[in-house]
Amino acid sequence: MTAGAATGQAARLGWPLVWVGELGSTNDLARLLVGAGCPEGAVVVADRQTRGRGRQGRAWASPSGGLWCSVLLYPSADLPQGLLSLAVAVAVAETAEQFVPGPARIRWPNDVEIAGRKVAGILIETAGAAVVVGVGINVGIELQVMPPEVAARAGSLHLIAGRPIERRAVLEALLARLADRYSAWAAGGEAVSDAWSSRDMLRGTPVAVLHSGPAIEGIAEGINREGALRIRTATGAIRQVVAGDVHQICGPSDPSG
Ligand code: BTN
């Protein structure tokens, strides 16, 4: 399968486009499309998901009003895969800012927040040689329909903008930003790291990282070349975390997860 970005061409994303009313998870249908030989750029969108998935095995509430979509990519295996999820986060943050006053900031690795509220999440899964990029953006979600623990820390673009926003327009903007950022990622990681770092909301703050081992506490010090989170612990040592959940130990809000 030829990957546009991986061959140095601008990636074209958005064809074929499958938009359905209700699905378990768009990531699952996208995985089936891989098996059916669908090309890079194929997109699945659902109005609602009944079994939406989030990071770290969590459920992702997906009622009507959100943009729930998955994009198929076939990146070259030689490229730094850890930075791809950060490139997607940058694309999603840039997309959100086209519809609402920003800034959209990123909580490592790829939660997108505006004014301390999470407006989008990203779940990247592999399927053979393919990568399924699942993106959930709260475009027109009424927060009272979300589970209370989600509503307490979530935001929705239409509430921030104070006007209705078309999901189709958000999808088009997302695919354009994603194509750009995907190509930049394929051309070399530096541009991705710089763009991500300029939106890093944790840098310099005290954090606790929950991961497979004992929790790590310290000051967040940005990312390394592979996209791992750097934490300076009380001893002055730097720990590097490739996967986990980050909680701000103190600060204006703690909308992680
Ligand atoms: C997270 O923040 O935990 C990631 C959430 C990712 C949700 C999206 S919605 C579209 C796609 N399909 C899924 O089941 N999950 C992703």
Side-chain angles (χ1 to χ4, degrees):
M1 195 72 58
T2 304
T7 54
Q9 307 155 8
R12 281 188 299 276
L13 308 179
W15 188 89
L17 172 64
V18 180
W19 192 315
V20 299
E22 186 171 290
L23 266 183
S25 160
T26 56
N27 272 28
D28 287 341
L29 183 52
R31 296 172 84 93
L32 288 178
L33 295 185
V34 175
C38 260
E40 173 160 274
V43 176
V44 177
V45 185
D47 290 334
R48 297 172 298 285
Q49 297 183 116
T50 54
R51 290 187 305 280
R53 289 198 290 282
R55 290 177 52 244
Q56 309 284 324
R58 284 185 289 264
W60 178 260
S62 315
S64 298
L67 177 64
W68 319 127
C69 65
S70 301
V71 181
L72 271 194
L73 301 178
Y74 290 89
S76 158
D78 305 336
L79 294 169
Q81 305 295 314
L83 286 179
L84 179 56
S85 112
L86 307 192
V88 174
V90 171
V92 172
E94 291 170 339
T95 301
E97 286 179 356
Q98 292 183 25
F99 296 89
V100 300
R105 304 185 71 199
I106 304 173
R107 177 184 296 267
W108 185 87
N110 54 23
D111 285 350
V112 176
E113 301 186 8
I114 296 178
R117 290 192 161 258
K118 178 167 170 175
V119 296
I122 294 159
L123 177 68
I124 299 200
E125 297 177 327
T126 51
V131 170
V132 175
V133 176
V135 179
I137 305 180
N138 296 341
V139 176
I141 296 285
E142 299 307 335
L143 296 181
Q144 60 272 22
V145 306
M146 301 294 253
E149 67 282 6
V150 176
R153 57 187 175 74
S156 183
L157 299 186
H158 79 304
L159 297 174
I160 299 164
R163 62 179 169 82
I165 295 173
E166 290 289 330
R167 283 177 305 152
R168 169 73 67 163
V170 178
L171 176 65
E172 282 171 12
L174 172 66
L175 294 175
R177 294 313 310 137
L178 201 49
D180 257 27
R181 287 299 176 186
Y182 179 41
S183 298
W185 167 78
E190 208 165 288
V192 170
S193 297
D194 290 350
W196 189 95
S197 298
S198 71
R199 296 177 182 277
D200 179 0
M201 63 176 291
L202 296 175
R203 192 177 187 96
T205 67
V207 295
V209 183
L210 307 183
H211 66 134
S212 47
I216 301 170
E217 292 188 3
I219 305 294
E221 289 204 350
I223 51 174
N224 70 10
R225 290 164 65 90
E226 286 80 41
L229 181 65
R230 301 174 78 246
I231 312 279
R232 186 174 296 279
T233 65
T235 65
I238 294 282
R239 301 280 305 271
Q240 312 204 48
V241 183
V242 294
D245 269 336
V246 189
H247 298 263
Q248 270 168 300
I249 292 174
C250 51
S253 60
D254 181 13
S256 61

